Amino acid sequence: MPGTTIASVTTLIPERPALCAPSRAARELGLKRYEFDLAVELGRIRVVSDRGSGARRVARTEIGRLQAQAGFPQTLRERVRVVGTKEGASLMGVSEGRFARLARLGLLVPVRFYLNRYRAVVWLYLAEEIREFVANSEHADLITGRMPETLRSQLTAGLDLRPRNWRGRHLGFLLRQAEDPWVRAGAIAAFLPNEEIAEIAKIPYERARLDRMRPSLPEHGASGSPGALLGEQIMTAQDADEIAWLSADLARQLEATRAPWSPTPAVPRPVVPEAPVDRTAGRARSDTSPSAPPGSGPRPSRGLLTWLRRRSPRSVGAGDPARGT
């Protein structure tokens, strides 16, 4: 229609950020927060460090990769599903007692633990790993047959590798996330007794920095409570060989932190050549000039005016001591 102006409206859609916070990434992936954290620990979800804050972030491309997988999100949630002893025994088709014995022998590695209302330790296992254990034909005798005498004697002696296996698994996760020697040293120190750390890190500065770099481990009750003390006991190395292995690894990491601070040999300063001196003119002036009186030092130069006066024939012939060398 003549005289009519139609204005077009453009809707601006904000650009989606390239990195997402863990809480947002968990919602977009259909995971609960503890499931997301476990997926990161297991390497199911790749995270990166924000250059500005250093916090963990998930790239938008990583979220797209996971969403494009077949069966999403059920397959992803199934890969991080954890079960206790009762459900794990049901998946394996054995009694709860046999399942617990296999776990105590170290054949099943827990990924989580918590303390129930009676302060009993409840271990959690990956359902995916239990199914893989059953599918392995080499484990058929352990599942349905009679347990070997050597293994039964170890159980009778009180062997329980569940705490040690959990420590090893969690330490592996912390070391994979560490990008600095001090961070790796702090992760190792988190599982060592304090007296062992004091034996290795004898410098007070190193001990203080190790304490700052130690990661926060799962808490189980208020500080000093029976639950917290039990949790601390589980998270601290107990066996002599485990303590020796962690101590040696901590010593190596501390050596790596000291390497950048090792003294470097002093670099010799370059020799600056002196300006050429006309020694002939200097001797001529010294021959025509009387010696300076005792105790008098060299007089300061007066710049261009003094230089012009030195070039004057009258000054050379007069032999003024004030204008000598």
Side-chain angles (χ1 to χ4, degrees), residues 167-243:
R167 289 191 295 268
R169 189 166 207 165
H170 197 68
L171 176 58
F173 159 70
L174 295 175
L175 293 178
R176 286 193 301 270
Q177 296 294 317
E179 300 177 355
D180 179 80
W182 275 112
V183 179
R184 290 192 290 270
I188 298 170
F191 298 92
L192 276 173
N194 292 329
E195 55 271 15
E196 294 293 332
I197 299 175
E199 286 293 328
I200 301 169
K202 298 183 180 298
I203 303 176
Y205 162 76
E206 290 183 345
R207 290 198 300 272
R209 187 161 185 178
L210 273 178
D211 188 63
R212 293 197 305 270
M213 302 305 296
R214 292 175 69 167
S216 57
L217 297 177
E219 297 181 356
H220 301 276
S223 179
S225 64
L229 295 177
L230 179 58
E232 183 179 354
Q233 181 181 0
I234 293 174
M235 292 181 288
T236 304
Q238 304 293 331
D239 300 330
D241 59 335
E242 183 185 6
I243 293 175

